[in-house]
């Protein structure tokens, strides 16, 4: 966990670029889903697209709360059409969210 | 700065070691800019083998996948005639045309939908192992085993009768042969398109249930509403049928060969099946069976590394080179089932990256879960050094793989 504070990650998917390859779901299945009717990607909870995160010290990847397979930066790199944008901001501890 | 008129070396290059790409790819990693090469028909092109350059070319709108454009580098006479003469499918389209077709197929290849096939694929692999064990060695691991698996899976997924698999396997091989004359792949394509057209027309007449298979969904969602003609559908299904055969079969056989040649890694995998997904990614990276993918032509001025590329100049964005880029992969020529991270481009990159990759990954995972465990004494029945490889095919791997157990 970084001592600088809480890192927030804002994730957006450009659906005009998405081809439904599912690479984001493979990389971060707690952040991205894939619509079975269209094949296109979506954020799992559209109400919460600002996500609290910490930095994985070994990989340098941003890992969302809950850890595991939630590597959003890896998802952005894996997306074959570069449809995922992530913006990371760092807020002082205790001021981001609850 | 190099320019294309100086291109002398002819592409594709020959390998000097069967498991490593041609040495010129390493030269491409180390030399600033891109390497000028010349195709079989004299067309010059730029060779890119660094990961960052391959990704830039395949992701960018500065490059076209339309083989009919002047300057497009054709890998062989056979592939050239195919790409230029046939009605284009989504693999040779750009922009809005491409996305229209890709989005018709995308819902049929979602991770969820493909992963639901797992029990059926397990059953297919287990049944085949039963048959082989009953029949006894020796067998050709490729012809008699790994080729049968994707052939069965893709036939069922598409809704094409498996009884006709010999016909499709022959057609797929003819389509993938880089050394044949220009007529062989074209004629194979006509045969398959004719067959699929009849099948689609018959199934449309008989009526389909949407959940039957991929063909049923295409008929119901695209053909009946008039979004896709029967000819377009036949070309699309032909592409999927053929792409789903030799690629996966080669990755299975070649991957098993690598494990047989590294007994300590095979033991690790048997001891810890949790390693299999990581091992499969390494098999994909190391084998890169699409060894002559991917070709493009520039449509606008663009810089790739230190090289300026002009409109109308061909580029060879070799994923087999990118997957051995030493600036991305430590000891890139070492096969390591524990390699992480492993952000390879074996399925290419950009809008044309393989649509069947969830299926290929699932088939490979199931295969390596079942086969090493059920045939623990599996081994080559000839010396490793005597094997030959499919350098003149679009899907690379051992040409024959005699095994015993």
């Amino acid at each position: 966990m970084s001592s600088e504070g809480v890192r927030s990650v804002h994730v957006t998917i450009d659906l005009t670029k998405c081809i439904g390859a599912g690479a984001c779901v493979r990389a971060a299945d707690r952040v991205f889903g894939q619509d079975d009717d269209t094949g296109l990607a979506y954020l799992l909870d559209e109400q919460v697209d600002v996500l609290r995160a910490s930095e994985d010290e070994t990989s340098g990847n941003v890992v969302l709360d809950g850890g595991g397979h939630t590597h959003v930066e890896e998802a952005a790199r894996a997306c074959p059409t570069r449809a995922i944008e992530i913006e990371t901001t760092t807020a002082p501890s205790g001021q981001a969210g609850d | 700065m190099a320019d294309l008129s100086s291109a002398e070396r002819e592409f594709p290059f020959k390998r000097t070691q069967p498991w490593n790409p041609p040495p010129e790819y390493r030269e491409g990693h180390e030399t600033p800019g891109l390497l000028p090469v010349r195709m079989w028909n004299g067309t010059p092109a730029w060779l890119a083998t660094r990961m960052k350059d391959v990704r830039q070319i395949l992701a960018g709108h500065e490059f076209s996948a339309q083989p009919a454009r002047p300057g497009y580098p054709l890998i062989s006479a056979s592939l050239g005639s195919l790409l230029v003469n046939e009605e284009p499918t989504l693999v040779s389209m750009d922009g809005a045309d491409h996305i229209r077709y890709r989005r018709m197929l995308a819902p049929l290849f979602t991770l969820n939908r493909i992963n639901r096939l797992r029990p059926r694929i397990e059953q297919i692999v287990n049944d085949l192992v039963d048959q082989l064990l009953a029949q006894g060695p020796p067998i050709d691991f490729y012809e008699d085993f790994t080729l049968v698996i994707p052939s069965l899976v893709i036939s069922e997924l598409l809704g094409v009768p498996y009884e006709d698999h010999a016909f499709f396997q022959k057609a797929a091989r003819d389509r993938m042969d880089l050394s044949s004359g220009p007529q062989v792949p074209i004629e194979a394509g006509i045969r398959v398109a004719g067959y699929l057209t009849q099948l689609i027309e018959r199934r449309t007449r008989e009526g389909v249930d949407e959940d039957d298979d991929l063909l049923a969904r295409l008929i119901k969602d695209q053909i009946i509403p008039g979004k896709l003609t029967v000819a377009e559908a036949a070309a699309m299904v032909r592409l999927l049928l053929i792409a789903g055969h030799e690629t996966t079969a080669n990755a299975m056989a070649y991957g098993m060969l690598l494990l047989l040649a590294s007994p300590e890694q095979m033991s690790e995998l048997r001891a810890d099946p949790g390693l299999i997904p990581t091992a499969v990614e390494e098999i994909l990276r190391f084998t890169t069976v699409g060894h002559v993918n991917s070709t493009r032509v520039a449509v606008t001025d663009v810089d790739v590394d230190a090289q300026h590329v002009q409109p109308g100049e061909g580029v060879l964005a070799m994923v087999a080179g990118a997957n051995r880029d030493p600036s991305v992969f430590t000891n890139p020529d070492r096969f390591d089932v524990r390699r992480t991270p492993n952000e390879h481009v074996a399925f290419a990159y950009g809008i044309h990256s393989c649509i069947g990759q969830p299926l290929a990954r699932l088939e490979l995972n199931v295969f390596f879960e079942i086969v090493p465990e059920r045939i623990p004494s599996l081994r080559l029945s000839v010396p490793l050094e005597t094997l030959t490889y499919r350098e003149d095919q679009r899907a690379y791997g051992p040409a024959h793989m005699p095994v015993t157990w």
Side-chain angles (χ1 to χ4, degrees):
Chain A
M1 183 67 68
S2 164
S3 58
E4 298 162 18
V6 177
R7 287 163 72 98
S8 294
V9 184
H10 183 90
V11 185
T12 48
I13 305 169
D14 182 346
L15 287 179
T16 64
K17 292 183 182 170
C18 179
I19 53 167
C24 54
V25 186
R26 283 191 70 244
D29 64 1
R30 299 170 82 148
V31 182
F32 300 97
Q34 189 177 19
D35 186 317
D36 262 340
D37 292 327
T38 64
L40 302 185
Y42 61 91
L43 289 165
L44 281 181
D45 186 348
E46 295 189 28
Q47 301 303 310
V48 188
D49 61 351
V50 179
L51 300 155
R52 294 181 60 196
S54 59
E55 194 164 349
D56 182 311
E57 281 167 18
T58 49
S59 68
N61 286 330
V62 171
V63 180
L64 297 176
D65 285 352
H69 302 287
T70 54
H71 296 81
V72 277
E73 290 187 348
E74 190 184 325
R77 281 197 303 275
C79 174
T81 57
R82 298 177 170 169
I84 298 166
E85 293 279 342
I86 52 177
E87 237 180 282
T88 309
T89 52
T90 305
S93 291
Q95 291 191 11
D98 52 12
Chain B
M1 181 59 58
D3 76 79
L4 267 188
S5 60
S6 67
E8 281 171 9
R9 293 190 283 182
E10 187 169 321
F11 189 88
F13 298 116
K14 289 278 172 230
R15 293 180 185 230
T16 53
Q17 297 170 307
W19 292 356
N20 291 332
E24 288 85 354
Y25 287 22
R26 181 52 45 81
E27 186 185 333
H29 295 143
E30 292 165 354
T31 314
L34 305 175
L35 296 183
V37 301
R38 195 166 283 283
M39 310 306 287
W40 59 280
N41 58 359
T43 305
W46 295 111
L47 173 69
T49 63
R50 276 185 289 269
M51 178 66 86
K52 73 172 179 65
D53 300 339
V54 166
R55 282 184 180 241
Q56 180 196 341
I57 292 162
L58 297 180
H61 296 294
E62 300 90 352
F63 297 92
S64 168
Q66 295 179 38
R69 282 181 182 267
Y72 190 96
L74 299 164
I75 294 287
S76 71
S78 57
L79 185 57
S81 72
L82 204 87
L83 290 171
V84 173
N85 295 319
E86 285 188 344
E87 177 166 328
T89 58
L90 72 165
V91 293
S92 51
M93 293 177 179
D94 301 327
D97 292 334
H98 165 268
I99 211 143
R100 177 174 159 247
Y101 291 101
R102 180 88 186 205
R103 291 221 168 134
M104 285 184 191
L105 293 177
L108 308 176
F109 285 92
T110 63
L111 282 171
N112 277 337
R113 196 177 295 279
I114 294 300
N115 286 337
R116 284 201 289 271
L117 300 173
R118 174 176 263 277
R120 178 62 190 134
I121 295 174
E122 288 172 349
Q123 189 186 11
I124 285 172
V125 176
N126 274 316
D127 287 352
L128 259 172
V129 172
D130 289 343
Q131 277 177 34
L132 291 177
L133 291 176
Q135 176 195 326
I139 61 160
D140 185 316
F141 197 69
Y142 179 79
E143 294 284 340
D144 301 331
F145 192 10
T146 66
L147 188 57
V148 185
I149 297 165
S151 191
L152 269 164
V153 171
I154 195 79
S155 302
E156 280 192 22
L157 176 71
L158 294 177
V160 170
Y162 182 69
E163 300 84 81
D164 299 322
H165 73 280
F167 168 71
F168 290 122
Q169 279 173 15
K170 170 77 169 70
R173 187 152 304 169
D174 287 348
R175 301 275 289 182
M176 301 287 272
D177 191 345
L178 295 167
S179 63
S180 73
Q183 279 310 311
V184 173
I186 292 264
E187 283 163 10
I190 292 169
R191 290 198 303 276
V192 179
Y195 171 91
L196 289 173
T197 302
Q198 284 186 354
L199 180 66
I200 292 167
E201 284 172 345
R202 178 170 61 77
R203 292 195 56 186
T204 309
R205 273 197 313 276
E206 288 171 358
V208 289
D209 178 348
E210 190 175 309
D211 291 330
D212 282 351
D213 48 48
L214 190 146
L215 206 53
R217 285 187 59 108
L218 270 187
I219 290 169
K220 191 156 182 151
D221 296 346
Q222 310 294 344
I223 297 176
I224 292 174
K227 297 177 193 164
L228 193 68
T229 67
V230 172
E232 287 173 317
M236 202 186 255
V237 174
R238 177 179 66 195
L239 178 72
L240 299 174
L241 189 61
I242 288 170
H245 264 93
E246 304 235 339
T247 44
T248 312
N250 272 292
M252 286 173 177
Y254 190 178
M256 185 60 82
L257 179 65
L258 294 169
L259 288 170
L260 293 176
S262 343
E264 74 295 346
Q265 299 205 50
M266 179 73 101
S267 306
E268 281 186 70
L269 218 55
R270 282 212 186 88
D272 179 8
L275 259 183
I276 289 171
T278 312
V280 164
E281 294 309 308
E282 177 67 347
I283 288 166
L284 289 165
R285 180 194 75 90
F286 193 91
T287 65
T288 314
V289 299
H291 67 130
V292 288
N293 296 347
S294 300
T295 47
R296 297 287 186 270
V297 62
V299 292
T300 179
D301 286 287
V302 56
D303 290 327
V304 181
D305 196 69
Q307 182 60 52
H308 181 71
V309 180
Q310 296 181 36
E313 290 184 345
V315 290
L316 308 164
M318 287 295 113
V319 294
N323 283 345
R324 301 294 184 94
D325 183 340
S327 74
V328 177
F329 303 102
T330 312
N331 292 329
D333 292 338
R334 177 176 148 71
F335 174 70
D336 176 4
V337 294
R338 292 185 176 274
R339 185 182 293 277
T340 54
N342 194 346
E343 296 181 6
H344 62 76
V345 284
F347 293 112
Y349 191 68
I351 62 170
H352 294 291
S353 58
C354 175
I355 197 164
Q357 56 184 291
L359 181 62
R361 279 198 166 97
L362 176 62
E363 291 180 73
L364 285 164
N365 272 281
V366 168
F367 178 84
F368 286 103
E369 286 161 20
I370 292 175
V371 180
E373 190 185 309
R374 291 204 55 202
I375 322 180
S377 61
L378 185 75
R379 61 192 182 278
L380 284 179
S381 59
V382 297
L384 178 62
E385 304 73 43
T386 62
L387 293 184
T388 57
Y389 294 81
R390 300 171 190 269
E391 206 158 2
D392 58 358
Q393 297 278 323
R394 278 155 69 195
Y396 188 79
H400 298 285
M401 193 171 154
V403 295
T404 188
W405 57 87

